[in-house]
């Protein structure tokens, strides 16, 4: 086993939405060691978080800048788990000090920031990673393997959805103060797209390895937790090789906590996965026969692998384990200095921002938006998900 990589964390305090998940996931398989952090601008939460994560007070720094200046020589990477609008500054600060960056999604807040980053690093760099944790589910990886083997024939449609009810539920309960302020502001890209669509884009890219070409979308403000805040989106996306993608996501679907679902339809079969049943895949063959695959189905090649058997079948693994799987993939890529089959690239992260911006434009203008294929200054295509 390769040595554990030493990381510092920016943000991700015990009062944050996802900090505890990052901390558990990066340590779970001993791929990383959390050795320092600045977990909050609030001194009390910062100190409390360090204690909660088992760090000595000397390892808890008063600011992200102080953390990086003081620790750059001993860290292998920094984890950024702050609100979206601060990601760019921290990414560039870490790169200035020669550190690898592991960022919560979305990698950046807008397309301009994405292109600025790509003027500095290659689309398939191992200097910067974004956490696309849903691709860490073994069942999703099993689906990808079966699609790549041609078991579905020609894939012509993917339907992805991520309905949540948090905004409208909290509005109806008169608890909108529980929503973080930064989530209540839309920029060039609606915050709900930065929060949810980037995950859907990563899943489609990961499963099918096609590139989006055209977008037609409809966005609405249903819950009105803030005036005009978009919280309901439907999009139809045309990809290369005649792949059509239907995407639905938002935070105004009562009764849906995080209803992530993926359906992949091909000429020889279909696959369906629902996150609330994370170890099950519904499959149909060319004759329309239906079956259910689980973690130890005998003809599966990915889900039975030892790395996913933290406990025996019948005791389901879930969200945090998928997060940990992705962290381990990142560690392997850092050690090898090359992306592997499971690490999606900075190019994919920027592509997701571009598609999310096109969704906003299409909704506003009421027309289909065509996406350009961009290249880096060295001529490398930006839209690249994984190594060939």
């Amino acid at each position: 086993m390769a040595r554990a990589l030493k990381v510092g964390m920016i943000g991700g305090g015990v009062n944050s939405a996802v900090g505890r998940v990052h901390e558990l996931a990066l340590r779970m398989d001993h791929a990383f060691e959390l050795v320092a952090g600045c977990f909050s601008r609030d001194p009390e939460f910062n100190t409390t978080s360090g204690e909660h994560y088992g760090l000595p007070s000397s390892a808890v720094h008063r600011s992200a800048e102080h953390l990086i200046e003081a620790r750059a020589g001993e860290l292998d990477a920094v984890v950024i788990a702050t609100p979206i609008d601060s990601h760019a500054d921290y990414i560039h600060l870490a790169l200035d000090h020669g550190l690898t960056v592991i960022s919560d999604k979305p990698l950046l807040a807008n397309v301009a920031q994405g292109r600025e980053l790509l003027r500095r690093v290659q689309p398939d760099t191992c200097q910067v990673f974004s956490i696309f944790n849903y691709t860490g589910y073994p069942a999703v990886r099993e689906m990808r393997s079966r699609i790549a083997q041609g078991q579905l024939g020609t894939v012509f449609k993917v339907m992805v959805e991520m309905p949540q009810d948090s905004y409208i539920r909290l509005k109806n309960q008169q608890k909108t103060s529980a929503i973080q302020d930064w989530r209540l502001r839309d920029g060039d890209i609606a915050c709900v797209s930065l929060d949810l669509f980037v995950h859907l884009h990563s899943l489609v890219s990961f499963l099918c390895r096609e590139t989006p070409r055209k977008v037609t979308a409809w966005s609405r403000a249903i819950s009105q937790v803030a005036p005009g805040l978009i919280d309901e989106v439907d999009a139809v996306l045309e990809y290369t090789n005649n792949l059509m993608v239907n995407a639905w996501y938002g935070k105004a679907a009562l009764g849906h906590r995080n209803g992530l679902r993926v359906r992949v339809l091909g000429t020889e079969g279909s696959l369906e996965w629902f996150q609330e049943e994370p170890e099950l895949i519904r499959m149909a063959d060319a004759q329309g026969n239906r079956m259910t695959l689980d973690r130890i189905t005998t003809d599966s090649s990915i889900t039975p692998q030892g790395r996913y058997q933290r406990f025996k079948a019948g005791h389901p693994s879930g969200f945090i384990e998928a997060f940990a799987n992705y962290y381990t993939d990142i560690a392997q890529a850092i050690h090898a200095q090359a992306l592997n089959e499971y690490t999606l690239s900075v190019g994919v992260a920027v592509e997701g921002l571009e598609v999310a911006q096109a969704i906003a434009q299409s909704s506003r203008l009421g027309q289909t938006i065509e996406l350009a294929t961009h290249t880096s200054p060295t001529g490398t295509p930006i839209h690249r998900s994984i190594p060939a």
Side-chain angles (χ1 to χ4, degrees):
M1 181 180 293
R3 71 172 179 87
L5 298 168
K6 297 182 183 298
V7 296
M9 185 181 291
I10 301 172
V14 291
N15 60 322
S16 71
V18 77
R20 180 62 168 153
V21 174
H22 277 281
E23 187 265 342
L24 287 169
L26 67 87
R27 295 187 190 206
M28 183 174 288
D29 293 323
H30 310 291
F32 293 93
E33 179 186 1
L34 180 64
V35 299
C38 173
F39 304 103
S40 174
R41 292 190 179 97
D42 183 299
E44 182 178 350
F45 278 123
N46 192 24
T47 299
T48 301
S49 298
E51 293 171 351
H52 192 76
Y53 296 155
L55 295 180
S57 59
S58 60
V60 180
H61 295 264
R62 64 179 180 270
S63 69
E65 292 77 9
H66 187 264
L67 166 67
I68 290 176
E69 291 284 350
R71 299 277 181 164
E74 65 182 274
L75 295 178
D76 296 297
V78 292
V79 173
I80 297 173
T82 59
I84 299 166
D85 58 6
S86 63
H87 286 191
D89 289 343
Y90 293 145
I91 288 171
H92 286 285
L93 180 63
L95 291 175
D96 289 343
H97 287 77
L99 290 168
T100 296
V101 176
I102 304 170
S103 176
D104 200 4
K105 62 78 199 170
L107 182 62
L108 294 159
N110 54 54
V111 172
Q113 291 178 353
R115 293 179 183 170
E116 179 185 7
L117 180 61
L118 285 168
R119 286 191 288 270
R120 182 168 188 175
V121 301
Q122 290 295 305
D124 55 356
T125 183
C126 285
Q127 294 175 273
V128 183
F129 297 88
S130 185
I131 297 286
F132 293 115
N133 53 285
Y134 293 104
T135 68
Y137 278 101
V140 173
R141 297 177 173 193
E142 181 68 37
M143 291 171 67
R144 178 180 177 273
S145 176
R146 290 173 181 263
I147 293 166
Q149 293 170 29
Q151 292 186 21
L152 302 192
T154 300
V155 174
F156 61 87
K157 184 182 288 293
V158 177
M159 304 187 76
V160 287
E161 57 187 55
M162 202 171 189
Q164 300 179 358
D165 68 0
S166 55
Y167 286 1
I168 196 165
R169 172 171 46 84
L170 292 170
K171 175 73 176 294
N172 293 345
Q173 294 174 351
Q174 299 182 338
K175 295 179 180 179
T176 54
S177 60
I179 303 172
Q180 295 158 301
D181 288 343
W182 62 268
R183 295 181 184 273
L184 301 177
R185 297 187 296 271
D186 287 339
D188 293 341
I189 302 171
C191 190
V192 72
S193 293
L194 292 172
D195 197 9
L196 303 183
F197 175 75
V198 294
H199 280 307
L200 300 185
H201 171 262
S202 73
L203 284 163
V204 175
S205 179
F206 181 74
L207 289 169
C208 298
R209 289 175 279 184
E210 302 293 347
T211 302
R213 295 302 192 198
K214 296 180 182 180
V215 178
T216 307
W218 302 264
S219 302
R220 296 187 288 175
I222 300 297
S223 61
Q224 296 293 328
V225 292
L229 185 76
I230 298 299
D231 59 6
E232 163 79 2
V233 181
D234 292 274
V236 178
L237 304 100
E238 179 182 331
Y239 281 66
T240 49
N241 289 331
N242 296 315
L243 174 65
M244 297 298 294
V245 174
N246 291 37
W248 169 48
Y249 58 96
K251 301 197 175 191
L254 285 169
H256 295 268
R257 306 303 186 230
N258 186 23
L260 177 59
R261 188 185 301 270
V262 182
R263 286 178 282 177
V264 184
L265 305 173
T267 56
E268 298 293 326
S270 69
L271 296 167
E272 180 177 2
W273 176 76
F274 182 41
Q275 189 193 215
E276 292 189 8
E277 297 177 333
E279 293 196 353
L280 302 182
I281 302 170
R282 315 292 182 193
M283 185 173 183
D285 63 19
Q287 286 74 45
N289 298 309
R290 296 183 294 182
M291 62 205 81
T292 300
L293 314 179
D294 69 7
R295 193 202 303 178
I296 56 172
T297 297
T298 54
D299 70 342
S300 292
S301 61
I302 305 301
T303 54
Q305 291 177 8
R307 66 174 294 196
Y308 303 128
Q309 310 306 312
R310 294 185 178 90
F311 199 60
K312 57 189 176 182
H315 303 78
S317 297
F319 182 83
I320 295 176
E321 290 87 349
F323 226 106
N325 292 337
Y326 203 87
Y327 258 113
T328 299
D329 300 327
I330 289 173
Q332 291 172 353
I334 292 172
H335 283 298
Q337 280 301 291
L339 298 182
N340 53 58
E341 62 180 330
Y342 294 135
T343 47
L344 285 94
S345 69
V346 170
V348 164
V350 175
E351 181 180 79
L353 294 172
E354 292 185 333
V355 180
Q357 179 174 278
I359 285 172
Q361 292 172 336
S362 175
S363 301
R364 183 176 66 255
L365 299 174
Q367 64 187 46
T368 297
I369 302 297
E370 294 195 16
L371 295 159
T373 299
H374 302 283
T375 57
S376 72
T378 62
T380 304
I382 286 175
H383 302 324
R384 181 178 177 188
S385 57
I386 58 173

